Short mmCIF file of all heavy atoms in Angstrom, two decimals:
data_model
loop_
_atom_site.label_atom_id
_atom_site.label_comp_id
_atom_site.label_asym_id
_atom_site.label_seq_id
_atom_site.Cartn_x
_atom_site.Cartn_y
_atom_site.Cartn_z
N MET A 1345 21.82 -30.57 -16.21
CA MET A 1345 20.80 -31.54 -16.27
C MET A 1345 19.45 -30.94 -15.97
O MET A 1345 19.30 -30.32 -14.94
CB MET A 1345 21.13 -32.63 -15.29
CG MET A 1345 20.10 -33.80 -15.28
SD MET A 1345 20.88 -35.15 -14.44
CE MET A 1345 19.66 -35.64 -13.37
N SER A 1346 18.47 -31.09 -16.85
CA SER A 1346 17.18 -30.50 -16.59
C SER A 1346 16.23 -31.51 -15.89
O SER A 1346 16.42 -32.72 -16.05
CB SER A 1346 16.52 -30.00 -17.91
OG SER A 1346 16.24 -31.07 -18.68
N THR A 1347 15.30 -30.98 -15.14
CA THR A 1347 14.34 -31.91 -14.52
C THR A 1347 13.01 -31.70 -15.22
O THR A 1347 12.67 -30.64 -15.69
CB THR A 1347 14.21 -31.53 -13.00
OG1 THR A 1347 13.81 -30.18 -12.94
CG2 THR A 1347 15.50 -31.73 -12.30
N LYS A 1348 12.26 -32.81 -15.27
CA LYS A 1348 10.96 -32.71 -15.85
C LYS A 1348 9.97 -31.95 -14.96
O LYS A 1348 9.93 -32.16 -13.78
CB LYS A 1348 10.42 -34.16 -16.06
CG LYS A 1348 9.13 -34.23 -16.82
CD LYS A 1348 8.75 -35.66 -17.13
CE LYS A 1348 7.44 -35.65 -17.87
NZ LYS A 1348 7.06 -37.04 -18.16
N PRO A 1349 9.22 -30.99 -15.54
CA PRO A 1349 8.23 -30.26 -14.71
C PRO A 1349 7.26 -31.20 -14.10
O PRO A 1349 6.90 -32.24 -14.67
CB PRO A 1349 7.57 -29.32 -15.74
CG PRO A 1349 8.44 -29.30 -16.88
CD PRO A 1349 9.20 -30.66 -16.93
N THR A 1350 6.72 -30.83 -12.99
CA THR A 1350 5.71 -31.62 -12.26
C THR A 1350 4.43 -30.82 -12.21
O THR A 1350 4.39 -29.65 -12.46
CB THR A 1350 6.16 -31.93 -10.80
OG1 THR A 1350 6.20 -30.70 -10.02
CG2 THR A 1350 7.46 -32.64 -10.75
N ALA A 1351 3.30 -31.49 -11.81
CA ALA A 1351 2.02 -30.85 -11.74
C ALA A 1351 2.07 -29.69 -10.82
O ALA A 1351 1.35 -28.65 -11.01
CB ALA A 1351 0.99 -31.84 -11.31
N SER A 1352 2.92 -29.73 -9.81
CA SER A 1352 2.97 -28.58 -8.87
C SER A 1352 3.65 -27.32 -9.46
O SER A 1352 3.62 -26.31 -8.81
CB SER A 1352 3.72 -29.00 -7.57
OG SER A 1352 5.08 -29.36 -7.87
N ASP A 1353 4.26 -27.43 -10.57
CA ASP A 1353 4.91 -26.31 -11.23
C ASP A 1353 3.88 -25.36 -11.85
O ASP A 1353 4.25 -24.21 -12.22
CB ASP A 1353 5.90 -26.75 -12.30
CG ASP A 1353 7.07 -27.49 -11.68
OD1 ASP A 1353 7.48 -27.22 -10.58
OD2 ASP A 1353 7.57 -28.39 -12.47
N TRP A 1354 2.64 -25.71 -11.93
CA TRP A 1354 1.63 -24.91 -12.60
C TRP A 1354 1.21 -23.82 -11.68
O TRP A 1354 1.11 -24.06 -10.46
CB TRP A 1354 0.42 -25.74 -13.02
CG TRP A 1354 0.67 -26.64 -14.15
CD1 TRP A 1354 0.91 -28.02 -14.07
CD2 TRP A 1354 0.63 -26.32 -15.54
NE1 TRP A 1354 1.11 -28.50 -15.32
CE2 TRP A 1354 0.93 -27.55 -16.27
CE3 TRP A 1354 0.39 -25.18 -16.23
CZ2 TRP A 1354 0.96 -27.54 -17.60
CZ3 TRP A 1354 0.50 -25.21 -17.62
CH2 TRP A 1354 0.75 -26.36 -18.32
N PHE A 1355 0.95 -22.62 -12.15
CA PHE A 1355 0.38 -21.56 -11.34
C PHE A 1355 -0.66 -20.81 -12.18
O PHE A 1355 -0.65 -20.84 -13.40
CB PHE A 1355 1.47 -20.61 -10.81
CG PHE A 1355 2.23 -19.85 -11.88
CD1 PHE A 1355 1.85 -18.61 -12.32
CD2 PHE A 1355 3.34 -20.49 -12.52
CE1 PHE A 1355 2.51 -17.93 -13.31
CE2 PHE A 1355 4.04 -19.82 -13.52
CZ PHE A 1355 3.62 -18.55 -13.88
N VAL A 1356 -1.58 -20.13 -11.46
CA VAL A 1356 -2.58 -19.35 -12.11
C VAL A 1356 -2.00 -18.06 -12.58
O VAL A 1356 -1.28 -17.35 -11.87
CB VAL A 1356 -3.77 -19.07 -11.13
CG1 VAL A 1356 -4.76 -18.15 -11.81
CG2 VAL A 1356 -4.39 -20.34 -10.66
N SER A 1357 -2.27 -17.75 -13.84
CA SER A 1357 -1.73 -16.53 -14.47
C SER A 1357 -2.31 -15.29 -13.74
O SER A 1357 -3.46 -15.20 -13.39
CB SER A 1357 -2.17 -16.49 -15.94
OG SER A 1357 -1.88 -15.17 -16.46
N SER A 1358 -1.43 -14.32 -13.51
CA SER A 1358 -1.88 -13.07 -12.91
C SER A 1358 -2.86 -12.32 -13.80
O SER A 1358 -3.61 -11.50 -13.35
CB SER A 1358 -0.65 -12.19 -12.61
OG SER A 1358 0.03 -11.83 -13.80
N TYR A 1359 -2.84 -12.59 -15.08
CA TYR A 1359 -3.82 -12.03 -16.01
C TYR A 1359 -5.20 -12.59 -15.91
O TYR A 1359 -6.14 -12.09 -16.52
CB TYR A 1359 -3.33 -12.09 -17.46
CG TYR A 1359 -2.11 -11.20 -17.73
CD1 TYR A 1359 -0.84 -11.73 -17.63
CD2 TYR A 1359 -2.29 -9.90 -18.08
CE1 TYR A 1359 0.26 -10.90 -17.87
CE2 TYR A 1359 -1.20 -9.05 -18.28
CZ TYR A 1359 0.12 -9.57 -18.14
OH TYR A 1359 1.12 -8.73 -18.41
N SER A 1360 -5.38 -13.64 -15.12
CA SER A 1360 -6.69 -14.27 -14.88
C SER A 1360 -7.51 -13.51 -13.84
O SER A 1360 -8.62 -13.88 -13.60
CB SER A 1360 -6.53 -15.73 -14.47
OG SER A 1360 -5.97 -16.43 -15.58
N GLY A 1361 -6.95 -12.52 -13.23
CA GLY A 1361 -7.67 -11.70 -12.23
C GLY A 1361 -8.03 -12.46 -10.94
O GLY A 1361 -8.94 -12.07 -10.26
N GLY A 1362 -7.32 -13.47 -10.65
CA GLY A 1362 -7.54 -14.22 -9.42
C GLY A 1362 -8.76 -15.14 -9.45
O GLY A 1362 -9.10 -15.75 -8.42
N ASN A 1363 -9.33 -15.30 -10.54
CA ASN A 1363 -10.54 -16.12 -10.69
C ASN A 1363 -10.09 -17.58 -11.02
O ASN A 1363 -9.81 -17.89 -12.11
CB ASN A 1363 -11.50 -15.59 -11.77
CG ASN A 1363 -12.81 -16.36 -11.86
OD1 ASN A 1363 -12.91 -17.46 -11.25
ND2 ASN A 1363 -13.72 -15.89 -12.63
N ASN A 1364 -10.06 -18.43 -10.02
CA ASN A 1364 -9.51 -19.79 -10.21
C ASN A 1364 -10.48 -20.70 -10.94
O ASN A 1364 -10.09 -21.80 -11.36
CB ASN A 1364 -9.20 -20.43 -8.83
CG ASN A 1364 -7.99 -19.77 -8.23
OD1 ASN A 1364 -7.11 -19.28 -8.92
ND2 ASN A 1364 -7.96 -19.74 -6.92
N ASN A 1365 -11.68 -20.27 -11.18
CA ASN A 1365 -12.64 -21.16 -11.95
C ASN A 1365 -12.61 -20.89 -13.39
O ASN A 1365 -13.18 -21.64 -14.17
CB ASN A 1365 -14.02 -20.93 -11.37
CG ASN A 1365 -14.18 -21.42 -9.92
OD1 ASN A 1365 -13.56 -22.40 -9.55
ND2 ASN A 1365 -14.90 -20.74 -9.12
N SER A 1366 -12.11 -19.76 -13.83
CA SER A 1366 -12.15 -19.45 -15.22
C SER A 1366 -10.84 -18.75 -15.56
O SER A 1366 -10.72 -17.58 -15.77
CB SER A 1366 -13.32 -18.47 -15.49
OG SER A 1366 -13.30 -18.18 -16.88
N CYS A 1367 -9.75 -19.58 -15.61
CA CYS A 1367 -8.45 -18.97 -15.79
C CYS A 1367 -7.51 -19.80 -16.62
O CYS A 1367 -7.82 -20.93 -16.97
CB CYS A 1367 -7.84 -18.64 -14.43
SG CYS A 1367 -7.49 -20.13 -13.46
N VAL A 1368 -6.38 -19.28 -16.77
CA VAL A 1368 -5.32 -19.94 -17.48
C VAL A 1368 -4.19 -20.25 -16.51
O VAL A 1368 -3.90 -19.42 -15.66
CB VAL A 1368 -4.75 -19.04 -18.60
CG1 VAL A 1368 -3.57 -19.59 -19.27
CG2 VAL A 1368 -5.86 -18.72 -19.63
N GLU A 1369 -3.63 -21.44 -16.62
CA GLU A 1369 -2.49 -21.83 -15.80
C GLU A 1369 -1.24 -21.85 -16.67
O GLU A 1369 -1.30 -22.12 -17.89
CB GLU A 1369 -2.68 -23.21 -15.20
CG GLU A 1369 -3.83 -23.25 -14.19
CD GLU A 1369 -4.03 -24.66 -13.68
OE1 GLU A 1369 -4.01 -25.62 -14.43
OE2 GLU A 1369 -4.21 -24.77 -12.42
N VAL A 1370 -0.15 -21.52 -16.05
CA VAL A 1370 1.16 -21.40 -16.75
C VAL A 1370 2.23 -22.12 -16.01
O VAL A 1370 2.16 -22.22 -14.73
CB VAL A 1370 1.52 -19.89 -16.85
CG1 VAL A 1370 2.87 -19.77 -17.54
CG2 VAL A 1370 0.47 -19.11 -17.54
N ARG A 1371 3.20 -22.70 -16.68
CA ARG A 1371 4.40 -23.19 -16.04
C ARG A 1371 5.57 -22.99 -16.99
O ARG A 1371 5.47 -23.04 -18.18
CB ARG A 1371 4.29 -24.67 -15.60
CG ARG A 1371 4.37 -25.69 -16.72
CD ARG A 1371 4.37 -27.09 -16.10
NE ARG A 1371 4.18 -28.05 -17.15
CZ ARG A 1371 4.00 -29.34 -16.97
NH1 ARG A 1371 4.01 -29.83 -15.75
NH2 ARG A 1371 3.85 -30.17 -17.95
N PHE A 1372 6.76 -22.77 -16.36
CA PHE A 1372 7.98 -22.60 -17.15
C PHE A 1372 8.78 -23.87 -17.00
O PHE A 1372 9.05 -24.38 -15.96
CB PHE A 1372 8.74 -21.41 -16.58
CG PHE A 1372 7.95 -20.13 -16.57
CD1 PHE A 1372 7.44 -19.59 -15.39
CD2 PHE A 1372 7.65 -19.50 -17.75
CE1 PHE A 1372 6.67 -18.45 -15.41
CE2 PHE A 1372 6.91 -18.29 -17.76
CZ PHE A 1372 6.46 -17.79 -16.59
N THR A 1373 9.22 -24.40 -18.18
CA THR A 1373 9.95 -25.65 -18.18
C THR A 1373 11.46 -25.44 -18.33
O THR A 1373 12.20 -26.40 -18.35
CB THR A 1373 9.48 -26.57 -19.32
OG1 THR A 1373 9.83 -25.97 -20.57
CG2 THR A 1373 8.00 -26.80 -19.22
N GLY A 1374 11.85 -24.22 -18.57
CA GLY A 1374 13.25 -23.94 -18.80
C GLY A 1374 13.51 -23.61 -20.27
O GLY A 1374 14.32 -22.78 -20.64
N GLN A 1375 12.85 -24.30 -21.15
CA GLN A 1375 12.96 -24.03 -22.59
C GLN A 1375 11.65 -23.52 -23.16
O GLN A 1375 11.69 -22.89 -24.23
CB GLN A 1375 13.38 -25.33 -23.29
CG GLN A 1375 14.75 -25.82 -22.85
CD GLN A 1375 15.34 -26.82 -23.78
OE1 GLN A 1375 14.76 -27.15 -24.81
NE2 GLN A 1375 16.54 -27.21 -23.48
N THR A 1376 10.54 -23.81 -22.57
CA THR A 1376 9.28 -23.29 -23.08
C THR A 1376 8.42 -22.83 -21.93
O THR A 1376 8.69 -23.09 -20.71
CB THR A 1376 8.49 -24.43 -23.77
OG1 THR A 1376 8.19 -25.49 -22.84
CG2 THR A 1376 9.24 -24.99 -24.94
N THR A 1377 7.37 -22.09 -22.25
CA THR A 1377 6.36 -21.70 -21.34
C THR A 1377 5.10 -22.49 -21.79
O THR A 1377 4.75 -22.38 -22.95
CB THR A 1377 6.07 -20.23 -21.38
OG1 THR A 1377 7.28 -19.57 -21.01
CG2 THR A 1377 4.98 -19.83 -20.46
N GLU A 1378 4.50 -23.24 -20.90
CA GLU A 1378 3.31 -23.99 -21.22
C GLU A 1378 2.06 -23.33 -20.63
O GLU A 1378 2.14 -22.78 -19.46
CB GLU A 1378 3.46 -25.41 -20.68
CG GLU A 1378 4.58 -26.18 -21.34
CD GLU A 1378 4.73 -27.57 -20.88
OE1 GLU A 1378 4.13 -27.96 -19.82
OE2 GLU A 1378 5.45 -28.32 -21.57
N VAL A 1379 0.96 -23.43 -21.36
CA VAL A 1379 -0.27 -22.81 -20.94
C VAL A 1379 -1.37 -23.83 -21.10
O VAL A 1379 -1.41 -24.60 -22.09
CB VAL A 1379 -0.55 -21.53 -21.86
CG1 VAL A 1379 -1.85 -20.90 -21.43
CG2 VAL A 1379 0.57 -20.54 -21.81
N ARG A 1380 -2.29 -23.85 -20.09
CA ARG A 1380 -3.46 -24.71 -20.19
C ARG A 1380 -4.70 -24.10 -19.56
O ARG A 1380 -4.60 -23.15 -18.81
CB ARG A 1380 -3.19 -26.07 -19.52
CG ARG A 1380 -3.06 -26.00 -18.01
CD ARG A 1380 -2.77 -27.38 -17.41
NE ARG A 1380 -2.69 -27.25 -15.98
CZ ARG A 1380 -2.30 -28.31 -15.20
NH1 ARG A 1380 -1.99 -29.41 -15.68
NH2 ARG A 1380 -2.23 -28.11 -13.89
N ASP A 1381 -5.84 -24.61 -19.96
CA ASP A 1381 -7.09 -24.08 -19.40
C ASP A 1381 -7.42 -24.87 -18.11
O ASP A 1381 -7.41 -26.08 -18.08
CB ASP A 1381 -8.23 -24.39 -20.44
CG ASP A 1381 -9.55 -23.94 -20.02
OD1 ASP A 1381 -9.79 -23.50 -18.83
OD2 ASP A 1381 -10.50 -23.96 -20.92
N THR A 1382 -7.63 -24.10 -17.05
CA THR A 1382 -7.90 -24.73 -15.77
C THR A 1382 -9.13 -25.61 -15.76
O THR A 1382 -9.12 -26.64 -15.15
CB THR A 1382 -8.10 -23.64 -14.72
OG1 THR A 1382 -6.94 -22.82 -14.66
CG2 THR A 1382 -8.32 -24.16 -13.33
N LYS A 1383 -10.12 -25.20 -16.54
CA LYS A 1383 -11.39 -26.02 -16.54
C LYS A 1383 -11.27 -27.23 -17.45
O LYS A 1383 -12.17 -28.11 -17.34
CB LYS A 1383 -12.55 -25.13 -17.01
CG LYS A 1383 -12.91 -24.11 -15.97
CD LYS A 1383 -14.25 -23.45 -16.24
CE LYS A 1383 -14.15 -22.48 -17.33
NZ LYS A 1383 -15.43 -21.74 -17.58
N ASN A 1384 -10.27 -27.32 -18.29
CA ASN A 1384 -10.18 -28.46 -19.20
C ASN A 1384 -8.72 -28.88 -19.32
O ASN A 1384 -8.13 -28.89 -20.46
CB ASN A 1384 -10.72 -28.10 -20.59
CG ASN A 1384 -10.96 -29.27 -21.42
OD1 ASN A 1384 -10.74 -30.41 -21.00
ND2 ASN A 1384 -11.31 -29.08 -22.67
N ARG A 1385 -8.12 -29.29 -18.21
CA ARG A 1385 -6.69 -29.65 -18.22
C ARG A 1385 -6.38 -30.80 -19.14
O ARG A 1385 -5.29 -30.92 -19.70
CB ARG A 1385 -6.24 -29.92 -16.77
CG ARG A 1385 -6.23 -28.69 -15.95
CD ARG A 1385 -5.81 -29.04 -14.51
NE ARG A 1385 -5.77 -27.85 -13.68
CZ ARG A 1385 -6.39 -27.72 -12.55
NH1 ARG A 1385 -7.04 -28.76 -12.02
NH2 ARG A 1385 -6.30 -26.62 -11.88
N ALA A 1386 -7.32 -31.74 -19.26
CA ALA A 1386 -7.09 -32.92 -20.06
C ALA A 1386 -6.99 -32.58 -21.55
O ALA A 1386 -6.51 -33.42 -22.36
CB ALA A 1386 -8.18 -33.92 -19.85
N ALA A 1387 -7.38 -31.37 -21.97
CA ALA A 1387 -7.32 -31.03 -23.35
C ALA A 1387 -5.90 -30.78 -23.85
O ALA A 1387 -5.67 -30.67 -25.02
CB ALA A 1387 -8.17 -29.74 -23.59
N GLY A 1388 -4.97 -30.69 -22.90
CA GLY A 1388 -3.58 -30.52 -23.31
C GLY A 1388 -3.08 -29.12 -23.01
O GLY A 1388 -3.75 -28.31 -22.34
N THR A 1389 -1.88 -28.88 -23.53
CA THR A 1389 -1.25 -27.57 -23.31
C THR A 1389 -0.74 -27.01 -24.60
O THR A 1389 -0.58 -27.62 -25.59
CB THR A 1389 -0.03 -27.77 -22.35
OG1 THR A 1389 0.93 -28.57 -22.99
CG2 THR A 1389 -0.41 -28.36 -21.03
N LEU A 1390 -0.52 -25.70 -24.53
CA LEU A 1390 0.15 -24.97 -25.62
C LEU A 1390 1.58 -24.68 -25.13
O LEU A 1390 1.74 -24.26 -23.96
CB LEU A 1390 -0.55 -23.72 -25.97
CG LEU A 1390 -1.92 -23.83 -26.49
CD1 LEU A 1390 -2.58 -22.44 -26.64
CD2 LEU A 1390 -1.94 -24.50 -27.84
N ALA A 1391 2.63 -24.84 -25.91
CA ALA A 1391 3.95 -24.53 -25.50
C ALA A 1391 4.55 -23.49 -26.45
O ALA A 1391 4.35 -23.46 -27.63
CB ALA A 1391 4.80 -25.82 -25.59
N PHE A 1392 5.17 -22.47 -25.78
CA PHE A 1392 5.74 -21.34 -26.53
C PHE A 1392 7.21 -21.22 -26.13
O PHE A 1392 7.60 -21.29 -25.01
CB PHE A 1392 5.04 -20.05 -26.13
CG PHE A 1392 3.56 -20.09 -26.40
CD1 PHE A 1392 2.64 -20.46 -25.40
CD2 PHE A 1392 3.10 -19.69 -27.63
CE1 PHE A 1392 1.29 -20.47 -25.64
CE2 PHE A 1392 1.71 -19.73 -27.89
CZ PHE A 1392 0.80 -20.09 -26.93
N GLY A 1393 8.01 -20.95 -27.17
CA GLY A 1393 9.41 -20.59 -26.94
C GLY A 1393 9.51 -19.18 -26.31
O GLY A 1393 8.51 -18.45 -26.26
N SER A 1394 10.66 -18.86 -25.72
CA SER A 1394 10.76 -17.61 -25.01
C SER A 1394 10.47 -16.33 -25.86
O SER A 1394 9.84 -15.44 -25.37
CB SER A 1394 12.11 -17.48 -24.36
OG SER A 1394 13.13 -17.45 -25.31
N HIS A 1395 10.88 -16.37 -27.11
CA HIS A 1395 10.66 -15.23 -27.98
C HIS A 1395 9.13 -14.96 -28.15
O HIS A 1395 8.63 -13.90 -28.05
CB HIS A 1395 11.35 -15.40 -29.33
CG HIS A 1395 11.04 -14.32 -30.31
ND1 HIS A 1395 11.65 -13.06 -30.16
CD2 HIS A 1395 10.32 -14.22 -31.38
CE1 HIS A 1395 11.23 -12.31 -31.12
NE2 HIS A 1395 10.36 -13.03 -31.89
N ARG A 1396 8.42 -16.04 -28.48
CA ARG A 1396 6.93 -15.98 -28.67
C ARG A 1396 6.24 -15.54 -27.40
O ARG A 1396 5.30 -14.77 -27.38
CB ARG A 1396 6.40 -17.29 -29.22
CG ARG A 1396 6.90 -17.68 -30.54
CD ARG A 1396 6.18 -16.91 -31.60
NE ARG A 1396 6.64 -17.45 -32.89
CZ ARG A 1396 6.42 -16.83 -34.00
NH1 ARG A 1396 5.74 -15.67 -34.04
NH2 ARG A 1396 6.85 -17.29 -35.14
N TRP A 1397 6.65 -16.18 -26.27
CA TRP A 1397 6.01 -15.88 -24.97
C TRP A 1397 6.20 -14.41 -24.64
O TRP A 1397 5.26 -13.74 -24.19
CB TRP A 1397 6.56 -16.79 -23.88
CG TRP A 1397 5.90 -16.56 -22.55
CD1 TRP A 1397 6.42 -16.00 -21.48
CD2 TRP A 1397 4.56 -16.83 -22.24
NE1 TRP A 1397 5.55 -15.95 -20.45
CE2 TRP A 1397 4.35 -16.44 -20.89
CE3 TRP A 1397 3.50 -17.44 -22.93
CZ2 TRP A 1397 3.10 -16.57 -20.24
CZ3 TRP A 1397 2.25 -17.58 -22.24
CH2 TRP A 1397 2.07 -17.18 -20.90
N ASN A 1398 7.39 -13.91 -24.77
CA ASN A 1398 7.65 -12.48 -24.45
C ASN A 1398 6.88 -11.58 -25.39
O ASN A 1398 6.39 -10.51 -24.94
CB ASN A 1398 9.16 -12.16 -24.52
CG ASN A 1398 9.90 -12.79 -23.34
OD1 ASN A 1398 9.35 -12.94 -22.20
ND2 ASN A 1398 11.10 -13.25 -23.59
N ALA A 1399 6.73 -11.87 -26.64
CA ALA A 1399 5.96 -11.05 -27.54
C ALA A 1399 4.48 -11.10 -27.11
O ALA A 1399 3.77 -10.03 -27.14
CB ALA A 1399 6.04 -11.65 -28.99
N PHE A 1400 3.96 -12.21 -26.70
CA PHE A 1400 2.64 -12.33 -26.19
C PHE A 1400 2.41 -11.41 -24.98
O PHE A 1400 1.43 -10.66 -24.86
CB PHE A 1400 2.30 -13.81 -25.86
CG PHE A 1400 0.98 -14.01 -25.14
CD1 PHE A 1400 -0.20 -13.84 -25.77
CD2 PHE A 1400 0.98 -14.42 -23.80
CE1 PHE A 1400 -1.40 -14.03 -25.14
CE2 PHE A 1400 -0.26 -14.60 -23.13
CZ PHE A 1400 -1.42 -14.44 -23.85
N LEU A 1401 3.31 -11.44 -23.96
CA LEU A 1401 3.20 -10.61 -22.82
C LEU A 1401 3.26 -9.15 -23.15
O LEU A 1401 2.53 -8.32 -22.62
CB LEU A 1401 4.32 -10.98 -21.82
CG LEU A 1401 4.18 -12.38 -21.19
CD1 LEU A 1401 5.35 -12.58 -20.20
CD2 LEU A 1401 2.85 -12.57 -20.48
N ARG A 1402 4.13 -8.72 -24.11
CA ARG A 1402 4.17 -7.35 -24.58
C ARG A 1402 2.87 -6.91 -25.13
O ARG A 1402 2.37 -5.83 -24.89
CB ARG A 1402 5.31 -7.13 -25.55
CG ARG A 1402 6.67 -7.02 -24.90
CD ARG A 1402 7.74 -6.48 -25.88
NE ARG A 1402 7.84 -7.35 -27.06
CZ ARG A 1402 8.62 -8.43 -27.15
NH1 ARG A 1402 9.37 -8.84 -26.10
NH2 ARG A 1402 8.68 -9.16 -28.27
N ALA A 1403 2.17 -7.80 -25.89
CA ALA A 1403 0.93 -7.53 -26.50
C ALA A 1403 -0.19 -7.31 -25.43
O ALA A 1403 -1.01 -6.44 -25.56
CB ALA A 1403 0.51 -8.62 -27.53
N LEU A 1404 -0.14 -8.09 -24.41
CA LEU A 1404 -1.06 -7.95 -23.30
C LEU A 1404 -0.93 -6.66 -22.59
O LEU A 1404 -1.94 -6.04 -22.18
CB LEU A 1404 -0.93 -9.11 -22.30
CG LEU A 1404 -1.47 -10.49 -22.73
CD1 LEU A 1404 -1.15 -11.49 -21.63
CD2 LEU A 1404 -2.93 -10.45 -23.07
N ARG A 1405 0.27 -6.21 -22.41
CA ARG A 1405 0.57 -4.98 -21.68
C ARG A 1405 0.27 -3.76 -22.46
O ARG A 1405 0.12 -2.70 -21.99
CB ARG A 1405 2.01 -4.98 -21.21
CG ARG A 1405 2.27 -6.05 -20.19
CD ARG A 1405 3.77 -6.08 -19.82
NE ARG A 1405 4.00 -7.19 -18.93
CZ ARG A 1405 4.98 -7.96 -18.97
NH1 ARG A 1405 5.96 -7.79 -19.95
NH2 ARG A 1405 5.17 -8.97 -18.17
N GLY A 1406 0.08 -3.96 -23.79
CA GLY A 1406 -0.34 -2.91 -24.73
C GLY A 1406 0.75 -1.88 -24.81
O GLY A 1406 0.90 -0.81 -25.06
#
């Protein structure tokens, strides 16, 4: 049985450099990784499946 993610599940991405005013927040739901803009949370989220999310992280690491 899965549980619905809560607002407290969000965390600041380590790629944001610790800048809480201009960063990206991430949460893992079990089936997707969700991403949102800290300064505009009401704009919604982007959701990525694990394959896409891992490809994104590999690209960041170069």
Side-chain angles (χ1 to χ4, degrees):
M1345 180 163 131
S1346 67
T1347 58
K1348 185 174 181 180
T1350 64
S1352 64
D1353 294 329
W1354 290 99
F1355 63 94
V1356 175
S1357 169
S1358 61
Y1359 289 96
S1360 294
N1363 184 351
N1364 290 330
N1365 294 324
S1366 180
C1367 64
V1368 173
E1369 294 179 316
V1370 178
R1371 75 174 168 187
F1372 302 107
T1373 68
Q1375 298 196 358
T1376 62
T1377 300
E1378 296 180 345
V1379 180
R1380 70 181 180 186
D1381 181 351
T1382 302
K1383 291 194 282 184
N1384 193 6
R1385 292 178 178 131
T1389 63
L1390 297 173
F1392 301 93
S1394 62
H1395 177 74
R1396 297 278 185 197
W1397 181 250
N1398 288 329
F1400 172 70
L1401 292 179
R1402 280 192 303 275
L1404 286 177
R1405 293 177 185 136

